[in-house]
Amino acid sequence: MSKPIVAIVGRPNVGKSTLFNALAGEKISIVKDYPGVTRDRIYADVTWLDKQFTMIDTGGIEPESKDLMLSHMRQQAEIAIETADVIMFLVDVRQGLVDSDFKVADMLRKSGKPVVLVVNKVDNFDKLMPDVYEFYNLGIGDPIPISANSKLGIGDMLDEVIKHFNPEDLLEEEDERPRIAIVGKPNVGKSSIINKLIGENRVIVSDIAGTTRDAIDTVVNHNDKEYVFIDTAGLRRKSKIKEELERFSIIRTVTAVERADVVVMVIDASEGVTEQDAKIAGIAHERGKGIIIAVNKWDAIEKNDKTIYEYTNKVREILSFMTYAEIIFISALTGQRLPKLFDVIEMVIQNQTLRIQTGVLNEIMMEATAMQQPPSDKGKRLKLFYITQVAIKPPTFVIFVNDKALMHFSYTRYIENKIRDAFGFKGTSLRFLIRERKEKE
């Protein structure tokens, strides 16, 4: 299900990170302990009432000078306007209204995107309300007073945010066509792959612009089946700052991955897997999407009979957290193995939606626990009572145990491997939820 995207925009020191952390709680969605995955939190999942959304922090580097500051703010606003369904514009009651707030407000107003104006650092509602009202002058609606620090007013703010979720955005759900996001660093050949796929299939169904998003979706027809390709190539930023550009491309990737069923991660054969590739892969892995790693420009590599084998091992080693990903070697230039991409996509989709009967799962689990005894701690041994599949996309399983603390990550991984041995599940991550149950139940 594609969740709405909410972006936070605002000058430095108005409290964006404090608000971000207050909303995200500690459940921060950054893949932990994998080398090459940065700790800077760009996005997090938030649930309010029964609504879920992905929150993006557009911030980043703080420019030194006033002029730079404005252009930096403009860039943030552009990113938000381009990728978000709802924009939270954060201002600071203590600093009051500043010139750049007006300029950003203008951009946001012209964009036509829903904007929620949030006035932060209002620690005392009675005393500071007159200062809050000053922000009506921005002309983008009612200012909502909050204190991110003491978590005041946050509920009212979220109520306002979710009012703007468009029921139409959620209609994408009814669209049964598989959605494929082509992601990767700039210049690895994402656009040429899409162009080649369209070219070979000659059926260009007009580009449908995403409902509220500006990413252009392309419909490709293959064997009488339609696929929607979500392209993240699009805009080239005129950014002087490398980190800024990288942050921007990661925000775009999060948005595309969020909407996709299967993510095709394109890497450049001559470069191998880079740190940014690992970050992008981490996002898709974490979002539980189907994953295919397409090694492009394979025609340009000198090969012998071991090349593919060696290359595959190298990729697996760096992306060790997703050994299930399918790897395919292609060339967008020559079209080599591109038709095979559809077969792999189909296989991954089937695995993403595979449901396993509870009886079969429990047999596998019993066999697994007989072969390798569950861990124990201080004389207490872990017992696994029951396993059942509760969801697809990605396949999600609940395991009932006697003591959650004893269910180590490594033992969950062991059970996962046994399930994969039986059913493959190639190309899709699996999720395991561990629930505790008393012996008597």
Side-chain angles (χ1 to χ4, degrees), residues 358-375:
T358 302
V360 181
L361 281 171
N362 282 285
E363 271 171 44
I364 293 173
M365 185 175 81
M366 290 312 158
E367 206 171 292
T369 50
M371 279 165 60
Q372 187 176 323
Q373 240 194 346

Side-chain angles (χ1 to χ4, degrees), residues 327-424:
I327 301 179
I328 175 173
F329 294 86
I330 61 170
S331 161
L333 187 69
T334 64
Q336 179 190 11
R337 288 204 201 84
L338 267 188
K340 190 178 171 220
L341 186 58
F342 285 104
D343 302 340
V344 181
I345 288 173
E346 271 308 306
M347 176 199 76
V348 172
I349 289 172
Q350 280 171 357
N351 286 336
Q352 272 254 299
T353 51
L354 191 59
R355 284 187 189 271
I356 312 288
Q357 289 171 332
T358 302
V360 181
L361 281 171
N362 282 285
E363 271 171 44
I364 293 173
M365 185 175 81
M366 290 312 158
E367 206 171 292
T369 50
M371 279 165 60
Q372 187 176 323
Q373 240 194 346
S376 60
D377 185 36
K378 300 192 183 71
K380 185 172 186 184
R381 183 167 297 285
L382 169 70
K383 282 190 188 145
L384 283 70
F385 299 127
Y386 186 73
I387 180 171
T388 182
Q389 184 175 352
V390 292
I392 56 171
K393 283 190 181 181
T396 304
F397 305 90
V398 171
I399 302 180
F400 290 97
V401 300
N402 60 338
D403 185 349
K404 237 163 124 171
L406 290 174
M407 186 78 176
H408 292 227
F409 170 70
S410 55
Y411 203 74
T412 308
R413 168 73 57 91
Y414 164 69
I415 298 287
E416 171 174 347
N417 291 338
K418 289 294 173 218
I419 292 176
R420 285 189 186 278
D421 291 346
F423 297 102

Side-chain angles (χ1 to χ4, degrees), residues 218-236:
T218 310
V219 177
V220 176
N221 205 319
H222 178 78
N223 287 350
D224 295 332
K225 181 169 176 179
E226 289 191 345
Y227 296 82
V228 179
F229 280 85
I230 303 167
D231 185 8
T232 53
L235 297 174
R236 285 276 167 271

Side-chain angles (χ1 to χ4, degrees), residues 11-12 61-76 100 239-241 244:
R11 283 176 297 110
I61 305 113
E62 298 191 6
E64 287 81 70
S65 78
K66 277 268 192 289
D67 311 333
L68 266 177
M69 172 64 89
L70 185 57
S71 71
H72 175 73
M73 286 290 300
R74 282 202 175 116
Q75 246 177 342
Q76 275 188 29
S100 57
S239 172
K240 311 269 185 305
I241 316 174
E244 183 104 300

Side-chain angles (χ1 to χ4, degrees), residues 165-367:
F165 291 167
N166 198 339
E168 273 98 78
D169 288 351
L170 303 172
L171 290 181
E172 274 190 355
E173 290 321 295
E174 332 246 296
D175 186 343
E176 290 295 299
R177 298 176 297 187
R179 317 181 87 75
I180 320 296
I182 306 268
V183 303
K185 291 201 321 282
N187 307 325
V188 290
K190 300 187 290 280
S191 303
S192 20
I193 289 176
I194 289 189
N195 293 341
K196 198 80 178 179
L197 291 173
I198 297 171
E200 295 205 336
N201 299 294
R202 292 273 174 262
V203 187
I204 304 184
V205 186
S206 61
D207 291 342
I208 6 165
T211 31
T212 56
R213 304 171 181 84
D214 306 319
I216 301 269
D217 296 350
T218 310
V219 177
V220 176
N221 205 319
H222 178 78
N223 287 350
D224 295 332
K225 181 169 176 179
E226 289 191 345
Y227 296 82
V228 179
F229 280 85
I230 303 167
D231 185 8
T232 53
L235 297 174
R236 285 276 167 271
R237 290 266 136 189
K238 291 188 282 292
S239 172
K240 311 269 185 305
I241 316 174
K242 182 179 168 292
E243 295 154 58
E244 183 104 300
L245 189 71
E246 187 168 303
R247 186 182 188 95
F248 180 69
S249 67
I250 285 189
I251 287 177
R252 293 203 60 156
T253 303
V254 173
T255 349
V257 166
E258 198 61 81
R259 298 176 54 216
D261 301 312
V262 177
V263 174
V264 177
M265 159 122 184
V266 186
I267 57 183
D268 183 327
S270 51
E271 274 188 41
V273 182
T274 65
E275 189 172 315
Q276 198 176 347
D277 292 328
K279 269 185 216 173
I280 293 173
I283 293 169
H285 165 73
E286 192 162 69
R287 290 297 196 242
K289 303 297 180 175
I291 299 179
I292 298 167
I293 296 167
V295 183
N296 189 21
K297 309 184 186 175
W298 192 240
D299 52 307
I301 297 284
E302 300 238 339
K303 305 180 215 16
N304 60 32
D305 52 353
K306 295 201 184 59
T307 319
I308 279 202
Y309 174 73
E310 286 163 359
Y311 205 99
T312 303
N313 285 349
K314 213 183 310 173
V315 172
R316 294 253 179 257
E317 204 174 302
I318 301 177
L319 301 177
S320 56
F321 54 92
M322 39 189 270
T323 44
Y324 56 83
E326 271 298 287
I327 301 179
I328 175 173
F329 294 86
I330 61 170
S331 161
L333 187 69
T334 64
Q336 179 190 11
R337 288 204 201 84
L338 267 188
K340 190 178 171 220
L341 186 58
F342 285 104
D343 302 340
V344 181
I345 288 173
E346 271 308 306
M347 176 199 76
V348 172
I349 289 172
Q350 280 171 357
N351 286 336
Q352 272 254 299
T353 51
L354 191 59
R355 284 187 189 271
I356 312 288
Q357 289 171 332
T358 302
V360 181
L361 281 171
N362 282 285
E363 271 171 44
I364 293 173
M365 185 175 81
M366 290 312 158
E367 206 171 292

